[in-house]
Amino acid sequence: MTAPDPDGLLAEQLLRLTRRVHRIQKRHLEHRDLGITPAQSRLLRTLAHYGSPPRMADLAERLEVVPRAVTTLVDGLEAAGKVRRVPDPANRRVIRIELTDDGRAALGELRGARRSAAEEILAPLTDEQRTVLGGLLDTLIDGPDIDEGRRTA
C-alpha cells in the first residue's frame, strides 16, 4: 500500500476549485444575460487595464494565448458592439482594439457578476479564514521570492 501524496491531493483540490469557480462565474454571467463568454469577459477586463487601445498581439501576450484566439474573441465582442477595431494613428497597417460605451457598461455588469460569484464561493468562510486564504493565494500567485530562492540554492 502506498502512502497518500499530499501535494497530489492539493493539486487535485486546486483543480476542482478552479472548475467550480469557472462554473459559478459562468452561471452568474448567464443570469445577467450579457451574451458574453468567460473568455470574452477576461478579454474585456484585460482591455480595460490599458491606458490606450492595445494591438491584438499585445492582448494575446497579456492573456497568454495565441493571436488567433484573440481574433476570435474580438470578432464576437465587435459583433456585440462591445469593442471596435481602430487604426493606429502612427501606422495605418496596425489595428488597435478599444472598448465602446456598451463595452464599458458590460464591464460594470461583469464586475457585479464576479462579485456575486465570489460571495457565493466564499460564503462558508469566516472573515479570518478569508484573510488567511487571501494571503495563501497571494503567495501561490506571486511564487517564491527570487532573492530568497538564491540564498537557499
Side-chain angles (χ1 to χ4, degrees):
M1 185 124 184
T2 60
D5 175 11
D7 288 341
L9 176 60
L10 283 173
E12 180 60 29
Q13 288 174 307
L14 285 171
L15 289 172
R16 287 175 50 210
L17 177 60
T18 300
R19 287 190 295 264
R20 182 168 185 255
V21 167
H22 182 78
R23 273 193 319 274
I24 290 171
Q25 285 185 337
K26 186 175 179 181
R27 182 169 34 84
H28 281 266
L29 278 176
E30 289 169 353
H31 285 325
R32 292 184 184 247
D33 200 27
L34 295 172
I36 295 174
T37 67
Q40 289 172 330
S41 168
R42 186 170 172 236
L43 186 137
L44 285 175
R45 288 191 322 269
T46 301
L47 193 54
H49 289 291
Y50 281 92
S52 61
R55 298 172 307 137
M56 295 254 240
D58 298 329
L59 287 168
E61 185 177 330
R62 176 84 58 96
L63 294 168
E64 298 178 345
V65 298
V66 296
R68 177 70 192 133
V70 171
T71 300
T72 301
L73 293 172
V74 168
D75 287 346
L77 288 168
E78 186 175 39
K82 309 292 187 232
V83 301
R84 69 177 145 255
R85 288 173 166 93
V86 294
D88 184 305
N91 182 346
R92 293 181 312 154
R93 293 174 296 167
V94 174
I95 299 296
R96 297 191 173 267
I97 309 303
E98 71 178 9
L99 283 169
T100 63
D101 290 341
D102 280 352
R104 283 192 235 348
L107 273 171
E109 287 290 320
L110 291 169
R111 284 185 192 103
R114 290 182 75 205
R115 258 191 310 280
S116 297
E119 288 170 11
E120 180 178 336
I121 292 163
L122 298 173
L125 301 180
T126 65
D127 288 344
E128 183 179 333
Q129 289 172 320
R130 289 176 188 212
T131 300
V132 170
L133 177 62
L136 293 170
L137 290 173
D138 282 343
T139 299
L140 292 174
I141 291 166
D142 296 339
D145 184 356
I146 292 173
D147 291 333
E148 188 175 302
R150 285 188 187 136
R151 276 186 249 129
T152 59

